[in-house]
Amino acid sequence: MLEIRNLHARVKEKEILKGIDLTVRTGEVHAIMGPNGSGKSTLAQVLAGRDTYVVTDGSVVFDGKNLLEMSPEDRARDGVFMAFQYPVEIPGVSNLYFLKAALNQIRKSRGLPELDAMDFLNVVKERMKLMDMDQALLNRPVNAGFSGGEKKRNEIFQMAVLEPRLAILDETDSGLDIDALKIVSRGVNALRSPERSMILVTHYQRLLNYIQPDFVHVLSEGKIVRSGGKELALEVEERGYAGLEWETADAR
Amino acid sequence: MSTQTSTIEELAAREYKWGFVTDIDAESVPPGLNEDIIRLISAKKQEPEFMLEWRLRAYRHWLTMKEPTWANVHYPPIDYQSIVYYSAPKSKKERPKSLDEVDPELLKTYEKLGIPLRERELLAGVAVDAVFDSVSVATTFKEKLGELGIIFCSFSEAVREHPELVRKYLGSVVPYTDNFFATLNSAVFSDGSFCYIPKGVRCPMELSTYFRINAQNTGQFERTLIIADEGAYVSYLEGCTAPMRDSNQLHAAVVELVALDNAQIKYSTVQNWYPGDKEGKGGIYNFVTKRGKCAGVNSKISWTQVETGSAITWKYPSCLLLGENSVGEFYSVALTNHYQQADTGTKMIHIGRNTRSTIVSKGISAGHGQNTYRGMVKIQKSAAGARNYSQCDSLLLGDKCGAHTFPYLEVKNTSSQVEHEASTSKIGEDQIFYCRQRGLSTEDAVGMIVNGFCKEVFRELPMEFAVEAQKLLGVSLEGSVG
Ligand SMILES: Nc1ncnc2c1ncn2[C@@H]1O[C@H](COP(=O)(O)OP(=O)(O)OP(=O)(O)O)[C@@H](O)[C@H]1O
Ligand SMILES: [Mg+2]
């Protein structure tokens, strides 16, 4: 589904990604860990198409298409979803209205009929229960004045409504209390399916207790320095990044 | 004026524009302004003596005045002697012969607003022949309104048919001495709308200039007078969302509203005059004086405006709150893109006791647009218990545009309350990216954020107008981000 080869990216003059190789097959869940500033968010943003980051080398193929040539909205319409590490506030635009517009754009691009207000609400209600979302939150402007945890939960709620094929979750677990972490994990697990792939960026093994990844990668200074199964996360937790013996990246 | 409301009526009304002056088409009035020209205008319109006298007084006063320079707008000097003051329509020869001769950018906009081909020709001023049966439509409306005693006609007709009402109220809100442009208008006004709602009558339909047959050729010096007698209610819509082209660069209109005891007037405007091309060439200068007088107790006047057009807009719809407990409201969205300049706002003059006013102004600047809000709240000594709430928000798109806010406040009564809130925000690249990551295009994202920003104002517009206004903002902002 996703093939990243030798990906290099910089912001301004600074090179951040220095040759990432990663293959994510349909239905797989990959966790990416790594110290602060190692380039995890950069990788996520490059995949989502943010133009602050300039790709200087390498390729990304998504479903046989050159992802790097596509606009951010086309990527989204093709099923790439990113849950932001820092979700953005959009004053004046209600959460529900925003989500309906997004869903209908995505549907339109796939040749599906747009949902009217009623149908949309039916879709939303179910997902609200799943994410234990408060109705009041949905009527408020997108993320405006949301607490850190509410924002994160809202990201996963959006994912649940938009049903992407590739979900990239950037530190969705940070800032969540234990109950919220359970709810978010429940949401993510409910969306796990043989048709959907996920990349979880996280610092904590904790999340991986709830969401069991198929693979774990450690990113350091813009490179994947180790890859393994879920036991790698435990090793990271125990020994810290510094204590890991770096092996040559052998990303699948 | 998009497809939703493009009724036959309005087409008909517009067609009429080109038909109605055929008898004077041959007449060539030389450019320039003097007493003879004014006499000629008045004679052409078969006006009673008092009207001519009033025009002449205005003209003589105008000669003593200087063009104002305080507004934050810049334009080359206007040569008032080169303007033709008798607004005969352009002859067919001078107008584009087909859409091929019209600015392609303008045509693209029509297309995006979904305006039918036929209408596009009309709006762009293409010489086409009238084919609609306009008379019957107009008559139906007139009959319906007439049964209720409502007078709704062209200003010229009102001067002839209802001179007592015109005489009583004309200049009672905006005197001919008011300001440079209003005084000029008083001397040479071409035509406009007149509306009188009798005591206790609630006008059953939104009155719109679309439905008016006689006064389409209002030209550059439009004059409107609306009177709501005791307990009457009227909602009046001015303008349309499609960009209107006009070869007259200067527009100096005057609108006067009078609300007597317990009467209510709601006046909504969507102004989308041609703003000029991307470099700002060829746009309209729109210098308007709009004022309402809440003369009676418990009366209410609301101004709602969406201003997206014109190269330069200079406009301050205001309320004189005389009657006890009277209410003035001003809701405004002003958008400037490319090289447009807008200096707009309102004045709320509190004179009566317990008078209240609300001001909500939303300024949007994009491109090199300059947007100025200028508002005055004046609470006179007599206005015990008066209250004002003002909210004034600016939204910037890009970093070459500007927003400026000049609130003036004058409070002479200590029992009054005045609140003012202001904010400036910018549509951030991160907001746009967030929307795009969810599948929305940049344009949809901008449209959504801008519409969210304007919500409080759109809520005040009649439903179909609100829908159009939203669409219009989207189109007006195209290409301004990303
Ligand atoms: N827009 C930017 N301008 C300048 N530097 C940037 C920008 N974005 C990222 N960087 C730098 O690139 C490096 C990688 O940042 P990135 O956000 O990808 O790290 P991360 O692995 O997600 O870290 P964290 O765990 O703290 O979220 C950091 O040194 C950061 O300062
Ligand atoms: Mg990060």
Side-chain angles (χ1 to χ4, degrees):
Chain A
M1 166 171 282
L2 182 73
E3 288 238 8
I4 305 175
R5 288 282 162 263
N6 190 33
L7 185 65
H8 286 70
R10 62 173 166 80
V11 59
K12 289 163 203 146
E13 298 308 308
K14 185 176 168 184
E15 182 161 53
I16 300 170
L17 300 185
K18 301 171 182 164
I20 303 264
D21 289 287
L22 180 66
T23 302
V24 179
R25 281 175 300 218
T26 311
E28 290 178 353
V29 174
H30 290 240
I32 295 184
M33 306 180 79
N36 294 135
S38 56
K40 303 180 298 295
S41 293
T42 302
L43 175 62
Q45 304 251 5
V46 166
L47 293 177
R50 182 134 201 179
D51 61 9
T52 333
Y53 302 92
V54 181
V55 174
T56 48
D57 200 2
S59 65
V60 180
V61 175
F62 176 66
D63 262 357
K65 287 191 216 170
N66 179 354
L67 193 71
L68 299 176
E69 272 182 355
M70 295 162 71
S71 69
E73 56 269 37
D74 282 342
R75 299 181 198 199
R77 291 167 192 173
D78 261 20
V80 177
F81 178 94
M82 178 174 78
F84 286 64
Q85 183 175 4
Y86 304 108
V88 179
E89 304 195 0
I90 309 178
V93 179
S94 102
N95 222 349
L96 270 187
Y97 181 82
F98 173 75
L99 199 49
K100 177 165 171 255
L103 181 62
N104 276 335
Q105 269 306 335
I106 291 171
R107 289 178 64 93
K108 214 164 92 183
S109 75
R110 297 182 188 163
L112 296 169
E114 293 188 27
L115 295 182
D116 62 19
M118 286 300 283
D119 293 341
F120 175 70
L121 275 181
N122 286 336
V123 171
V124 162
K125 275 203 186 120
E126 211 181 296
R127 307 300 143 96
M128 266 167 66
K129 256 189 248 146
L130 177 68
M131 294 306 297
D132 214 0
M133 287 286 281
D134 192 354
Q135 172 84 42
L137 225 46
L138 297 182
N139 291 326
R140 273 168 50 185
V142 180
N143 294 325
F146 285 26
S147 76
E150 286 169 343
K151 284 181 184 171
K152 295 295 174 78
R153 207 192 290 187
N154 193 30
E155 293 290 288
I156 302 306
F157 169 67
Q158 291 186 14
M159 173 175 90
V161 172
L162 300 179
E163 300 187 310
R165 288 186 309 134
L166 172 66
I168 305 158
L169 313 186
D170 192 358
E171 293 198 26
T172 300
D173 53 333
S174 54
L176 292 181
D177 64 36
I178 187 71
D179 292 344
L181 182 67
K182 279 183 189 162
I183 291 164
V184 163
S185 308
R186 185 174 76 202
V188 172
N189 282 325
L191 285 168
R192 252 181 118 147
S193 98
E195 278 86 54
R196 184 171 291 129
S197 311
M198 296 189 188
I199 298 176
L200 311 176
V201 173
T202 183
H203 281 291
Y204 307 106
Q205 144 70 17
R206 196 177 61 153
L207 176 73
L208 305 180
N209 286 335
Y210 296 101
I211 309 168
Q212 303 258 323
D214 300 307
F215 300 96
V216 175
H217 311 274
V218 176
L219 192 67
S220 175
E221 290 175 23
K223 278 187 173 158
I224 289 179
V225 291
R226 269 192 72 177
S227 295
K230 57 179 184 266
E231 64 293 339
L232 179 57
L234 289 169
E235 205 182 325
V236 168
E237 183 100 329
E238 247 165 60
R239 298 162 58 187
Y241 295 115
L244 281 182
E245 267 175 58
W246 305 130
E247 293 164 10
T248 337
D250 185 22
R252 319 193 19 147
Chain B
M1 255 272 310
S2 73
T3 34
Q4 288 129 319
T5 47
S6 62
T7 53
I8 293 289
E9 292 90 74
E10 92 200 37
L11 287 179
R14 212 167 272 119
E15 272 294 349
Y16 193 70
K17 182 172 182 172
W18 311 118
F20 122 118
V21 233
T22 36
D23 54 331
I24 51 163
D25 211 18
E27 203 111 27
S28 71
V29 177
L33 192 52
N34 55 49
E35 296 205 359
D36 287 342
I37 296 279
I38 290 169
R39 280 175 215 283
L40 180 71
I41 294 172
S42 192
K44 278 280 155 211
K45 293 178 167 295
Q46 300 166 335
E47 290 177 348
E49 189 60 24
F50 85 88
M51 199 63 258
L52 173 63
E53 287 302 317
W54 198 75
R55 286 178 183 274
L56 288 173
R57 277 203 300 276
Y59 173 65
R60 287 167 198 149
H61 186 76
W62 185 72
L63 291 175
T64 69
M65 299 173 98
K66 278 212 161 59
E67 198 170 328
T69 52
W70 47 264
N72 189 22
V73 294
H74 306 277
Y75 54 92
I78 298 168
D79 179 4
Y80 293 91
Q81 290 304 335
S82 71
I83 295 173
V84 176
Y85 288 89
Y86 192 82
S87 59
K90 289 275 171 270
S91 75
K92 283 190 182 173
K93 255 191 278 159
E94 292 171 86
R95 299 193 333 236
K97 276 169 202 61
S98 74
L99 285 176
D100 299 341
E101 294 176 28
V102 175
D103 179 3
E105 284 297 313
L106 190 68
L107 296 181
K108 254 190 241 159
T109 311
Y110 290 158
E111 204 175 304
K112 283 173 198 148
L113 285 167
I115 293 163
L117 202 66
R118 180 94 202 151
E119 264 184 81
R120 292 181 206 175
E121 294 181 334
L122 295 171
L123 288 164
V126 172
V128 288
D129 293 313
V131 288
F132 297 98
D133 175 17
S134 52
V135 181
S136 60
V137 175
T139 332
T140 321
F141 281 112
K142 272 210 147 150
E143 267 171 19
K144 204 166 158 192
L145 296 173
E147 280 165 21
L148 295 163
I150 294 171
I151 304 169
F152 183 38
C153 61
S154 75
F155 205 95
S156 308
E157 191 181 330
V159 169
R160 288 193 303 269
E161 309 288 324
H162 309 281
E164 66 304 334
L165 284 173
V166 173
R167 197 169 187 165
K168 183 165 174 193
Y169 291 108
L170 177 69
S172 70
V173 188
V174 181
Y176 68 78
T177 51
D178 196 80
N179 70 72
F180 186 82
F181 298 113
T183 303
L184 178 63
N185 174 291
S186 302
V188 301
F189 69 85
S190 30
D191 212 330
S193 307
F194 177 86
C195 176
Y196 173 80
I197 316 287
K199 274 187 195 165
V201 171
R202 198 184 157 86
C203 185
M205 60 177 96
E206 312 267 2
L207 289 188
S208 148
T209 38
Y210 298 163
F211 298 142
R212 185 163 38 73
I213 191 74
N214 292 319
Q216 279 301 304
N217 182 42
T218 48
Q220 50 193 145
F221 301 103
E222 186 168 354
R223 186 108 200 169
T224 300
L225 176 56
I226 298 173
I227 302 136
D229 211 325
E230 290 171 22
Y233 167 87
V234 62
S235 166
Y236 185 91
L237 312 181
E238 177 204 294
C240 69
T241 47
M244 287 263 237
R245 241 210 136 128
D246 192 312
S247 51
N248 297 314
Q249 189 162 49
L250 173 66
H251 280 245
V254 173
V255 176
E256 293 181 278
L257 311 181
V258 182
L260 302 183
D261 287 356
N262 303 303
Q264 195 179 331
I265 301 175
K266 195 171 161 56
Y267 192 104
S268 314
T269 309
V270 172
Q271 185 272 116
N272 191 16
W273 289 104
Y274 185 59
D277 61 16
K278 288 206 164 90
E279 275 74 53
K281 273 203 289 277
I284 304 269
Y285 298 173
N286 192 23
F287 299 146
V288 190
T289 305
K290 287 183 164 177
R291 197 174 303 150
K293 181 155 88 177
C294 284
V297 298
N298 304 321
S299 55
K300 179 173 173 182
I301 289 179
S302 311
W303 297 101
T304 307
Q305 59 174 27
V306 177
E307 300 277 331
T308 61
S310 299
I312 299 178
T313 304
W314 180 99
K315 178 177 171 184
Y316 316 90
S318 305
C319 296
L320 295 169
L321 304 169
L322 278 108
E324 219 174 290
N325 295 320
S326 61
V327 177
E329 292 177 338
F330 174 74
Y331 297 95
S332 168
V333 168
L335 178 150
T336 52
N337 197 359
H338 305 308
Y339 284 88
Q340 283 177 279
Q341 308 171 52
D343 193 303
T344 139
T346 185
K347 278 187 229 166
M348 293 290 173
I349 317 290
H350 293 254
I351 302 165
R353 293 163 61 88
N354 296 322
T355 45
R356 279 163 292 148
S357 63
T358 303
I359 298 171
V360 177
S361 160
K362 305 277 181 175
I364 303 157
S365 320
H368 291 82
Q370 292 296 326
N371 214 323
T372 301
Y373 169 80
R374 196 180 297 278
M376 173 182 263
V377 176
K378 201 168 177 172
I379 299 195
Q380 302 203 343
K381 229 186 171 111
S382 51
R387 271 181 294 159
N388 162 266
Y389 170 75
S390 302
Q391 181 191 334
C392 185
D393 300 321
S394 309
L395 184 68
L396 302 175
L397 284 81
D399 45 21
K400 293 186 193 71
C401 53
H404 318 272
T405 306
F406 301 104
Y408 303 93
L409 188 62
E410 203 181 304
V411 180
K412 296 217 172 102
N413 188 306
T414 49
S415 68
S416 60
Q417 267 180 46
V418 177
E419 267 179 87
H420 182 89
E421 285 176 27
S423 76
T424 300
S425 49
K426 214 169 169 169
I427 296 191
E429 187 267 330
D430 54 340
Q431 290 174 318
I432 304 278
F433 180 71
Y434 188 80
C435 295
R436 293 179 78 188
Q437 209 305 302
R438 298 300 184 250
L440 301 166
S441 67
T442 300
E443 272 158 19
D444 286 346
V446 171
M448 194 179 259
I449 294 169
V450 167
N451 281 319
F453 176 73
C454 301
K455 225 168 19 195
E456 288 151 286
V457 174
F458 287 165
R459 227 180 2 227
E460 299 296 321
L461 286 172
M463 189 56 183
E464 72 281 7
F465 238 37
V467 172
E468 288 179 31
Q470 284 194 18
K471 210 150 106 184
L472 174 62
L473 284 192
V475 172
S476 305
L477 281 172
E478 257 173 33
S480 55
V481 167

